[in-house]
Amino acid sequence: MGLPTARPAEAATVAGPFRPPVSLPAGPAEHAPPTRRFLAQATLVTASLSMAAALLGLVRDQSLARLFGAGRDTDAFLVAWTVPEFAATLLIEDGLAFALIPAFSRALARRAQGAPGDPVRSLVAGTLPRLALGFTAVGALLAVAAPQFVAVLAPGLPDPALAVDCTRLTATCVLSFGLAGYSSAALRAHRRFLAPAAIYLAYNVGIITAMYALGGRWGVRSAAFGVAAGGCLMVLVQLPALVRQLGRRRTGGTAAGAAAVARPLAVPLLATVLLFALCRQSQVLIERFLASELPAGAISHLNYAQKVAQIPMTLSMMLCTVTFPVVARALADGDTERARDRVERDLALAGSLVLLGTAAVVACAPQLIGLLFQRGAFTAQDTAATAGVMRVYALGLLGQTLTGVLVRSYFSAGRAAWYPVAAMAAGIVATSWTGAWTLGPWGVTGIAAANATGITLTAVLLLAGMRRRSVPIRTGPVLRELSRPLRAAAVATVAGGFVGSIPAGPLAGLAAGGATVTVVFVLLGWALGAQGFAPALRSVRTLTRKLAHAVLR
């Protein structure tokens, strides 16, 4: 089941924060530019389900900590966890989506222009079988080479045999995540966001169920089995919507019955998007490689810190998940100005949201970790260590978000782009050097600092190259706009940290500190004239009125 398509009568435009709206004529419902109302509905659905998935992910991590603590077993599982982390980035969130969404957008544009045959079905016929075969081969190879994979990734691991067993179970997600990512890209390009937004809910349900059902007999291997089961659920939850969408008969156009040639994706395009995603996710490899030489539990502390700190980034990227197909379709239609306005608006809104989350994470780190994880085998010492790591790691969240927004622009035209790969490679080099230099004096905190340094460098390089190599945004106004919520976040962090430290309990401290951060950030952002605040607050007011009307009715 998907969201309704934009109605022709509502064919308004997507306005950027720095210029008047650009109006386009209305067309057929499937092909008209999406309205603000449609984008708001799609973002609300995506954000709501993603928030639910993130909360369920916390339950998953809490269950892992409660059942298995933060020691040898969880370190072994988290090495195997690298496989689904990489697969999610390469095949669902970044890599494959960067190639497929523009490809489906071009196919839909050609269909609207009356191209012979059905370009969408032709694209599926030319790509899906080849990709599925590749996913299967890579997953099988990884399962066979699991001992070598573990030895390279974590040479200092105390129990490599357990990590090998877990890796062989998680290797199955290469195929399941690949099929789930393909389905998500196809549905989003068709403006169907409900099923793709639900995949991580299904995934986490599979992992949590497996841990509690099998944990007593299989130990931490049950979590790895849950990864395999959850990957299958990700495919199944999207299958009905995908079959309905691809099974629709073509309407309009000319020569509808003519045969179209099935063409695979261009190899250079696939190479650049996958290399970028691989470089970005290799930060995890570097972190775990370095942390494997530290005392037991270091990898676990870093993992729990990342999982919590990344929630603001994940939520801030929800809008871009919805608007990436919009930018790709605008470029496919030749409307560069509409694409530029959308990217500038995304940068303003995503930057504001992630800075608010960063302020809350830094100010309330001990309360957050204590409330979420300190129970069972997870001790107060684990809480202190994880909170310290999380505060440092959160300093890179703005860079993570900007990188996610900007790289979509580079690939939205559906062409190979090597500059983002070079920018990400520079960030990886910075992460490696900084991590090796700080590991001795700072330990796992130095690894978190290296992560923040590397991804921030990548974001700066991507922003600097936008005008000549991507959607030509206006860099100066964008930077000035981002500086306003950045200043508000700095003040809100100090105020929230002070207020949050006064109550004795973690829940009261989190409530006091979080409320302070939010109030100070919003008031200062409004006073400084941050343009990303106005539409966000209007959306909140509109949603509140709709909810109140629904309750009263």
Side-chain angles (χ1 to χ4, degrees):
M1 177 180 179
L3 288 171
T5 54
R7 292 194 295 269
E10 293 176 327
T13 62
V14 181
F18 310 114
R19 63 183 296 107
V22 180
S23 296
L24 293 176
E30 182 182 2
H31 309 298
T35 65
R36 288 185 178 181
R37 180 180 179 183
F38 171 81
L39 291 178
Q41 289 175 338
T43 303
L44 179 61
V45 168
T46 302
S48 299
L49 289 177
S50 297
M51 172 66 83
L55 293 175
L56 198 58
L58 285 177
V59 173
R60 177 201 67 208
D61 293 338
Q62 287 175 331
S63 301
L64 184 68
R66 182 183 184 87
L67 293 171
F68 310 113
R72 287 169 170 258
D73 286 359
T74 50
D75 282 357
F77 167 71
L78 291 172
V79 170
W81 182 261
T82 305
V83 177
E85 283 181 322
F86 263 73
T89 299
L90 290 171
L91 305 177
I92 299 177
E93 297 164 8
D94 291 344
L96 198 61
F98 291 163
L100 286 174
I101 288 178
F104 274 105
S105 296
R106 289 197 307 274
L108 287 166
R110 291 182 63 236
R111 175 194 277 176
Q113 293 162 5
D118 190 333
V120 175
R121 292 187 182 182
S122 176
L123 175 63
V124 173
T127 55
L128 183 56
R130 293 177 173 88
L131 289 173
L133 183 61
F135 300 149
T136 302
V138 172
L141 179 62
L142 181 59
V144 171
Q148 293 76 20
F149 174 82
V150 171
V152 171
L153 185 61
L157 201 65
D159 188 2
L162 179 58
V164 169
D165 290 345
C166 291
T167 299
R168 284 177 170 151
L169 287 167
T170 59
T172 59
C173 74
V174 176
L175 175 59
S176 59
F177 279 32
L179 296 177
Y182 190 98
S183 303
S184 295
L187 289 171
R188 285 170 177 158
H190 283 83
R191 301 180 188 172
R192 297 294 182 267
F193 296 96
L194 180 59
I199 60 175
Y200 286 110
L201 275 173
Y203 176 60
N204 286 323
V205 166
I207 298 176
I208 294 169
T209 302
M211 282 195 294
Y212 280 104
L214 303 173
R217 288 179 292 168
W218 290 8
V220 79
R221 290 178 181 86
S222 62
F225 178 81
V227 170
C232 295
L233 293 175
M234 294 170 83
V235 179
L236 293 176
V237 80
Q238 297 182 98
L239 192 58
L242 183 67
V243 170
R244 283 197 303 271
Q245 198 62 40
L246 297 181
R248 291 175 57 191
R249 291 175 178 263
R250 173 191 172 126
T251 57
T254 61
V261 178
R263 297 180 180 178
L265 292 173
V267 173
L269 172 61
L270 279 176
T272 53
V273 297
L274 292 179
L275 278 174
F276 174 85
L278 187 64
C279 286
R280 183 172 185 180
Q281 194 61 26
S282 65
Q283 284 187 309
V284 177
L285 293 180
I286 295 168
E287 293 166 4
R288 289 179 183 167
F289 179 87
L290 295 172
S292 68
E293 301 295 334
L294 296 174
I299 296 177
S300 299
H301 295 151
L302 188 61
N303 171 73
Y304 293 132
Q306 288 176 338
K307 290 295 188 296
V308 178
Q310 284 181 346
I311 291 176
M313 180 196 72
T314 302
L315 294 177
S316 68
M317 292 299 297
M318 288 304 100
L319 175 65
C320 302
T321 299
V322 172
T323 59
F324 178 40
V326 175
V327 176
R329 184 60 184 271
L331 293 177
D333 292 335
D335 194 343
T336 304
E337 204 168 324
R338 181 159 58 101
R340 179 183 67 184
D341 291 340
R342 184 68 256 174
V343 173
E344 289 179 345
R345 183 178 178 85
D346 288 349
L347 287 168
L349 290 174
S352 296
L353 288 172
V354 79
L355 285 169
L356 171 59
T358 300
V361 165
V362 175
C364 306
Q367 295 88 346
L368 268 170
I369 297 299
L371 188 64
L372 292 173
F373 297 114
Q374 190 174 321
R375 58 183 60 86
F378 199 92
T379 65
Q381 290 76 14
D382 291 323
T383 294
T386 303
V389 172
M390 188 170 73
R391 277 177 162 158
V392 177
Y393 182 84
L395 300 179
L397 291 180
L398 178 61
Q400 295 273 10
T401 299
L402 295 182
T403 296
V405 176
L406 293 170
V407 76
R408 283 167 168 79
S409 303
Y410 280 91
F411 291 115
S412 56
R415 297 190 298 268
W418 291 100
Y419 182 79
V421 179
M424 194 67 244
I428 291 300
V429 171
T431 298
S432 303
W433 285 353
T434 306
W437 179 57
T438 59
L439 182 65
W442 291 1
V444 71
T445 304
I447 298 174
N451 180 298
T453 301
I455 198 63
T456 301
L457 174 62
T458 297
V460 170
L461 292 174
L462 288 175
L463 188 60
M466 282 288 288
R467 180 173 290 274
R468 290 184 297 168
R469 300 177 177 88
S470 180
V471 179
I473 65 170
R474 290 153 289 198
T475 308
V478 167
L479 289 174
R480 286 193 293 273
E481 176 62 27
L482 287 173
S483 70
R484 296 183 177 98
L486 183 61
R487 283 176 278 169
V491 177
T493 300
V494 175
F498 173 75
V499 173
S501 64
I502 296 175
L507 180 58
L510 178 60
T516 302
V517 165
T518 303
V519 170
V520 173
F521 182 81
V522 170
L523 291 179
L524 275 180
W526 189 275
L528 291 170
Q531 296 187 36
F533 278 49
L537 291 177
R538 282 198 301 269
S539 299
V540 170
R541 286 198 298 267
T542 300
L543 178 60
T544 303
R545 285 197 299 267
K546 288 182 177 180
L547 290 175
H549 177 69
V551 171
L552 293 174
R553 189 176 58 181

